[in-house]
Amino acid sequence: MRRTIWVLAIIMSVALVMTGCGKKDAASVVKDLNNVADKLESKQGTYQASGIMTLFTGEQPQEYKVEVWYKNPSYYRISLANVQKDITQIVLRNDEGVFVLTPSMNKSFRFQSDWPDNQGQVYLYQTLVRGIVSDNNRQFVEDGDNYVFEVAANYQSNALVRQKIWLDKKTYEPKQVQVSDSEAKVVVDVKFDTFKFDTDFTKDSFDMQKNMTTGAASESTVAQVDENGNQVVVPEGQEQEGQPVAAELGDFGIIEPGYVPAGVELKDSHKMEGNKDHAVLIRYDGVYQYTIMEARPLDRAVALAPGTLIDLGFTAGLLSGDEQQTLTWMSEGIEYRITSANLPVNEMMQIAASMEAQSGK
């Protein structure tokens, strides 16, 4: 009898050991992720990803097709296409700098920036790995074929607090990311449909002109902006030779933001008469004082401006200036500028996001 019990005990012990084989805990997965990150930093480090990103920042969810190309050491190409509006913008980094391109409008911004170094982007694999590895209070569970981590969010917007990341158990490829606010409400959701390491990119894949001429005119221009993010008007007759002049696209009305910070009210708004850009000026007063400029500017000369790239979710913006800051971005052929001496950047970002789904009045 004792021998039978002893044999059964051994069998159960072996069964438990066999069951545990291949099962990993959070520490083991984190160690593996560090190795994957090291490989991406190697000479051959590349990946390509695509998926659907949904933003829940406005009255209606906004969907974007997102495509990411990465090649070590610092080549990036991020394509964001608005599903509802069929408009694509590209964030590009190469040896010449950082660009925000709108090929369909033949528009580009070029500026000095170390993006995306130390700036979280929800669709970048390095950002997700960094978030998991750096959070010692990470939560970890298994969900079918995926490992799921819940960690602190580290993005430019203070409204984004926590993030949940699904990784494939075998390859550690990202499957889904959900970023939530302080009330545990999902603000950003990214579902990856493809992800591939060791992609074979050519240098032309990250060339500014090549990306601008994909579905656009053969010539492209870069909007010139000064240190405050204001467009520099080139005197008539001094436009750069060979640069096309954009046709006027007509009046777009006045586009007001759906979000206004607490303690702030609309002061006034008016169209600037006689302006070929159909410029609009909106002023707000109260706890914060700021202006919003809207225009459809004509193409101007190439220039390089200092600034910080700001991830607005639906596109990238340029933050420039010191005592008085300006956030500049392009959407549907309209250039927006929020300028203020005391409006926090986080508030600027919320205002910008609330204008994406608005139409002119």
Side-chain angles (χ1 to χ4, degrees):
M1 183 67 179
R2 290 181 179 176
R3 183 179 179 183
T4 302
I5 294 174
W6 177 250
V7 171
L8 287 173
I10 293 175
I11 292 173
M12 290 179 65
S13 298
V14 172
L16 287 172
V17 171
M18 292 300 292
T19 302
C21 286
K23 190 164 185 172
K24 293 188 175 184
D25 59 10
S28 299
V29 176
V30 168
K31 183 178 179 180
D32 289 344
L33 287 175
N34 274 315
N35 293 333
V36 174
D38 289 341
K39 185 177 180 182
L40 287 178
E41 294 300 320
S42 69
K43 188 175 181 180
Q44 293 78 27
T46 63
Y47 69 82
Q48 182 176 5
S50 66
I52 296 293
M53 177 174 66
T54 306
L55 303 181
F56 300 93
T57 52
E59 294 181 2
Q60 297 294 329
Q62 294 286 312
E63 286 191 352
Y64 298 83
K65 293 180 180 178
V66 58
E67 185 174 27
V68 180
W69 297 356
Y70 164 77
K71 186 179 188 303
N72 188 63
S74 57
Y75 293 153
Y76 290 88
R77 180 189 182 276
I78 317 298
S79 172
L80 291 168
N82 188 304
V83 175
Q84 292 90 346
K85 301 176 182 178
D86 193 27
I87 293 176
T88 299
Q89 290 190 312
I90 298 171
V91 181
L92 190 73
R93 178 175 174 178
N94 56 28
D95 293 334
E96 298 175 354
V98 178
F99 300 84
V100 179
L101 317 176
T102 309
S104 62
M105 298 299 299
N106 198 34
K107 281 289 188 181
S108 305
F109 284 99
R110 177 189 176 198
F111 47 91
Q112 296 170 335
S113 174
D114 60 357
W115 178 91
D117 299 341
N118 302 319
Q119 296 181 37
Q121 313 290 145
V122 66
Y123 37 71
L124 294 183
Y125 186 73
Q126 294 94 323
T127 298
L128 303 181
V129 171
R130 190 183 305 126
I132 292 171
V133 171
S134 63
D135 190 348
N136 293 325
N137 296 316
R138 67 183 79 88
Q139 297 179 20
F140 171 81
V141 296
E142 294 187 34
D143 180 14
D145 295 330
N146 300 313
Y147 294 124
V148 184
F149 285 91
E150 186 172 345
V151 296
N154 184 24
Y155 299 104
Q156 290 174 316
S157 173
N158 295 331
L160 305 178
V161 178
R162 300 286 293 175
Q163 59 182 337
K164 203 171 182 178
I165 304 167
W166 284 258
L167 301 176
D168 184 273
K169 283 184 177 180
K170 295 180 179 179
T171 63
Y172 295 121
E173 297 171 0
K175 294 298 182 180
Q176 185 176 0
V177 185
Q178 289 184 340
V179 189
S180 306
D181 59 18
S182 58
E183 298 178 352
K185 177 184 176 183
V186 175
V187 180
V188 183
D189 179 88
V190 180
K191 290 183 174 70
F192 294 93
D193 47 50
T194 65
F195 191 96
K196 181 182 178 182
F197 291 110
D198 304 319
T199 306
D200 186 19
F201 293 117
T202 65
K203 194 169 184 179
D204 284 351
S205 300
F206 303 91
D207 180 78
M208 183 269 197
Q209 292 293 343
K210 291 287 184 181
N211 280 281
M212 277 297 292
T213 55
T214 302
S218 59
E219 295 289 340
S220 61
T221 60
V222 179
Q224 180 177 349
V225 292
D226 62 19
E227 66 276 6
N228 292 317
N230 300 314
Q231 183 167 332
V232 177
V233 178
V234 179
E236 187 175 352
Q238 294 186 22
E239 290 86 355
Q240 185 171 330
E241 185 178 352
Q243 300 291 355
V245 177
E248 290 187 49
L249 297 177
D251 192 355
F252 54 86
I254 297 178
I255 300 174
E256 296 183 1
Y259 169 78
V260 176
V264 174
E265 293 182 352
L266 173 65
K267 183 177 181 180
D268 56 41
S269 63
H270 66 275
K271 297 180 180 179
M272 301 175 69
E273 299 297 333
N275 191 302
K276 291 184 179 181
D277 292 349
H278 301 282
V280 171
L281 183 67
I282 311 173
R283 298 193 297 175
Y284 290 85
D285 203 354
V287 177
Y288 306 119
Q289 299 81 43
Y290 58 93
T291 62
I292 300 176
M293 177 73 78
E294 306 166 357
R296 275 189 172 135
L298 302 180
D299 291 336
R300 299 299 182 186
V302 174
L304 179 66
T308 301
L309 188 146
I310 299 294
D311 180 19
L312 298 176
F314 59 92
T315 188
L318 168 66
L319 182 67
S320 56
D322 295 318
E323 292 184 4
Q324 180 165 276
Q325 291 188 304
T326 296
L327 177 63
T328 305
W329 75 97
M330 182 79 72
S331 180
E332 297 188 70
I334 301 173
E335 182 182 306
Y336 298 87
R337 296 200 305 269
I338 302 176
T339 301
S340 176
N342 65 347
L343 182 66
V345 175
N346 188 58
E347 295 284 5
M348 287 186 176
M349 294 171 66
Q350 287 188 255
I351 293 169
S354 74
M355 299 179 74
E356 174 64 1
Q358 302 294 330
S359 57
K361 298 177 181 179

